[in-house]
Amino acid sequence: MNFIKTNLKYITVYGLAFIILYVVVWPMWSGGGLALFSFETIKDKEARSVTATNDFNNAETLKQKAEAMQKAYNSLDPSATTTINQAVPVDHDTPRLINDLSDLISKASNGSEESARMSQTRFDKYDPNREIKGSSGTFQIAFSVKGSYSTIKEAVKMLETNRRIFNITQLSLQPKDSYLELSITMNAFYLKDGDAKSGSAGAGAGSLLNSPVMKEISLLAGQNVDFNIIKSNIEKLNKMSYNPVFVPAQGSAIRPNPFINKQ
Amino acid sequence: MPTFVPSNVYEERTKKVLPSDLVLNIGIIILVISILSAGGVYAYGRYLDNKTDQQIASIDSNAAYLSKLNLKAIRTINGQSQALSDIFNSHAYPSNIFNLLESRTNDQVTWNKMDMTKKDTGTTILNLSGSASSNGVIVQQVDALKSATDIVKAVTLIKSGMNDQSLNIDFDLEVQLNPTISASSITK
């Protein structure tokens, strides 16, 4: 007791210092020592701050990218969206497709004596196995056309260069009575909803960038949006025209219809 | 200087008190440092909280601003463009086959059937069934098709035989077409 009395001031000073360090400073810093309350330590706050700083920087970068993309989008020709929507619509749009095909066949027979007729249009269900890698939804159309050789040739040309793009995969031509019958199988394309969502998200789990719009930008950033390619593809669509790879030599004899006997 | 304290007492007190005060002073310094560090840690914590809150507010503000942009339209047109790039690469121009047959069909040959199939590998096969007046005409026909090297890669006679009714020779050809049938100025 005498020792305490004699050294009370030392015990008080050192004791207070110890208590402050052990019960206040250390627990606040890293959760060590004697924590009387549960609270966020400085280490936790630093970790949260690092995440927030990274997210803040990412958000700034994404904002700049989004602004640049919006600027580039605004600089597109106003008809660009219509053009590309006609080529690759955002859904199957089969009623319009059938109507357009029917019109196309009618146009092909313009000027000829007989009128071509389209029959047996068949739409296969979307088959993932027929999907073109990483891009669009694909579905198959099969139909037959009866008409003269010139009409059928014109119809095939028009299908090749149609604004809504078709990829002819099978073609069969056979004389039937006084006409030719053409059977065509071709792929048509549309933008699957999932296609536009593909890409890698920039925000990690538990990130502060989980707001829908920031996720959207992260997805866009992962898609490598290149407006030069977009412009180039739209230009190709606008320039799409009949362009034969094989051109017979000038002056060479031409059989107007090699499916009927010349002699 | 004159003093009433004997010099030996002064020296003795000095010896006892000075070391004890030093320990006390060090203790006080440690205590002050402890108090300051507690304040510093608290202030640092508040600084981190404020900084994080400001950054989150800035992210939210960016999100609000960006939600006004037409990002869905950009995403859609980009998806469509990517799809187009793939479609252009596989787009075929089978109307070239008509040009081929018109210019390379022998006068004594008539085609009875034509089948074109584009395989997944990109190869296009043309199966032709025709009727010729003689075997020599079939040879000429095969040679004529082979000469169209712009478009034809190989020609194979699959079968041939006399048609008892027409007395012509019916024959089947398999024509392997060059990938150029898929090419055009729009994909280049």
Side-chain angles (χ1 to χ4, degrees), chain B:
Chain B
M1 184 193 284
T3 176
F4 296 104
V5 181
S7 62
N8 60 337
V9 172
Y10 178 79
E11 283 169 12
E12 195 176 325
R13 283 188 69 183
T14 309
K15 276 179 191 170
K16 281 182 181 174
V17 172
L18 271 181
S20 303
D21 286 344
L22 182 64
V23 172
L24 183 62
N25 289 340
I26 291 169
I28 288 168
I29 290 167
I30 292 171
L31 179 61
V32 169
I33 290 170
S34 306
I35 293 167
L36 288 176
S37 61
V41 167
Y42 176 76
Y44 181 52
R46 293 287 301 164
Y47 161 75
L48 289 175
D49 283 344
N50 287 337
K51 186 181 163 196
T52 305
D53 288 348
Q54 278 174 11
Q55 284 171 331
I56 292 170
S58 175
I59 292 168
D60 288 345
S61 146
N62 277 347
Y65 164 73
L66 292 170
S67 65
K68 292 174 190 163
L69 302 182
N70 201 355
L71 298 173
K72 194 177 178 219
I74 297 173
R75 188 160 58 82
T76 301
I77 203 167
N78 186 54
Q80 288 170 315
S81 174
Q82 285 179 348
L84 273 178
S85 296
D86 289 338
I87 294 165
F88 283 151
N89 284 335
S90 62
H91 195 57
Y93 290 81
S95 66
N96 284 292
I97 293 166
F98 293 100
N99 293 346
L100 174 75
L101 295 182
E102 285 167 19
S103 65
R104 300 298 160 109
T105 299
N106 189 292
D107 284 350
Q108 295 174 60
V109 169
T110 304
W111 300 115
N112 304 319
K113 197 177 180 203
M114 176 193 89
D115 282 306
M116 183 218 83
T117 307
K118 191 169 178 247
K119 300 198 168 177
D120 290 340
T121 53
T123 314
T124 304
I125 300 291
L126 184 64
N127 287 298
L128 292 166
S129 297
S131 183
S133 55
S134 69
N135 283 315
V137 169
I138 295 174
V139 172
Q140 288 172 17
Q141 180 58 68
V142 169
D143 287 346
L145 288 171
K146 276 182 180 172
S147 68
T149 50
D150 289 348
I151 187 170
V152 174
K153 195 173 178 183
V155 183
T156 312
L157 178 67
I158 303 296
K159 68 171 186 182
S160 69
M162 178 77 80
N163 183 319
D164 293 335
Q165 287 181 336
S166 65
L167 298 178
N168 281 332
I169 298 174
D170 291 342
F171 64 101
D172 288 353
L173 295 180
E174 185 186 276
V175 183
Q176 197 178 336
L177 300 175
N178 274 328
T180 45
I181 195 173
S182 299
S184 113
S185 59
I186 70 151
T187 63
K188 297 295 175 193

Side-chain angles (χ1 to χ4, degrees), chain A residues 186-258:
Chain A
M186 60 190 193
N187 290 337
F189 309 93
Y190 70 101
L191 185 72
K192 272 193 306 173
D193 193 34
D195 295 335
K197 285 180 183 163
S198 62
S200 58
S207 162
L208 295 169
L209 291 181
N210 281 333
S211 70
V213 70
M214 294 315 255
K215 276 185 180 174
E216 179 96 22
I217 299 168
S218 298
L219 286 168
L220 269 175
Q223 281 186 339
N224 296 322
V225 181
D226 187 336
F227 275 87
N228 288 328
I229 294 176
I230 293 173
K231 282 179 185 172
S232 158
N233 281 337
I234 291 168
E235 204 174 320
K236 283 175 185 174
L237 277 174
N238 286 328
K239 285 182 179 172
M240 213 166 164
S241 60
Y242 176 59
N243 196 355
V245 179
F246 178 76
V247 184
Q250 269 193 336
S252 61
I254 298 291
R255 287 271 297 270
N257 180 358

Side-chain angles (χ1 to χ4, degrees), chain A residues 19-225:
Chain A
I19 288 168
I20 289 169
L21 288 172
Y22 192 69
V23 180
V24 179
V25 177
W26 194 5
M28 277 174 72
W29 186 260
S30 64
L34 179 63
L36 298 176
F37 306 101
S38 174
F39 48 80
E40 192 180 22
T41 66
I42 293 293
K43 292 286 178 197
D44 294 339
K45 286 181 182 184
E46 280 181 335
R48 196 160 65 92
S49 175
V50 168
T51 306
T53 304
N54 288 339
D55 286 353
F56 174 77
N57 292 335
N58 283 340
E60 286 295 317
T61 310
L62 291 176
K63 184 186 171 187
Q64 284 170 11
K65 279 187 183 176
E67 282 177 330
M69 284 191 285
Q70 182 69 51
K71 198 176 168 188
Y73 179 77
N74 292 341
S75 73
L76 288 175
D77 189 276
S79 62
T81 315
T82 313
T83 305
I84 207 162
N85 276 337
Q86 286 170 340
V88 184
V90 290
D91 58 36
H92 287 75
D93 201 6
T94 43
R96 190 185 305 276
L97 178 62
I98 295 172
N99 187 51
D100 289 353
L101 277 176
S102 188
D103 285 351
L104 185 146
I105 301 299
S106 297
K107 278 181 195 165
S109 62
N110 272 354
S112 67
E113 290 171 2
E114 42 71 47
S115 65
R117 197 166 62 85
M118 190 175 86
S119 56
Q120 295 177 357
T121 307
R122 191 182 75 234
F123 295 91
D124 281 3
K125 281 183 182 173
Y126 169 67
D127 180 353
N129 294 324
R130 293 202 189 98
E131 186 179 349
I132 290 182
K133 196 179 79 181
S135 58
S136 62
T138 308
F139 63 102
Q140 213 172 52
I141 312 162
F143 63 94
S144 302
V145 179
K146 279 182 184 172
S148 69
Y149 176 83
S150 61
T151 298
I152 279 169
K153 185 182 170 187
E154 191 60 28
V156 172
K157 277 187 198 173
M158 290 170 86
L159 285 169
E160 284 173 358
T161 54
N162 194 54
R163 174 54 58 84
R164 179 160 187 181
I165 297 184
F166 303 119
N167 200 354
I168 298 171
T169 54
Q170 277 185 310
L171 194 145
S172 180
L173 190 59
Q174 198 169 8
K176 261 201 179 154
D177 303 326
S178 56
Y179 292 105
L180 286 170
E181 184 170 282
L182 173 75
S183 298
I184 284 189
T185 304
M186 60 190 193
N187 290 337
F189 309 93
Y190 70 101
L191 185 72
K192 272 193 306 173
D193 193 34
D195 295 335
K197 285 180 183 163
S198 62
S200 58
S207 162
L208 295 169
L209 291 181
N210 281 333
S211 70
V213 70
M214 294 315 255
K215 276 185 180 174
E216 179 96 22
I217 299 168
S218 298
L219 286 168
L220 269 175
Q223 281 186 339
N224 296 322
V225 181

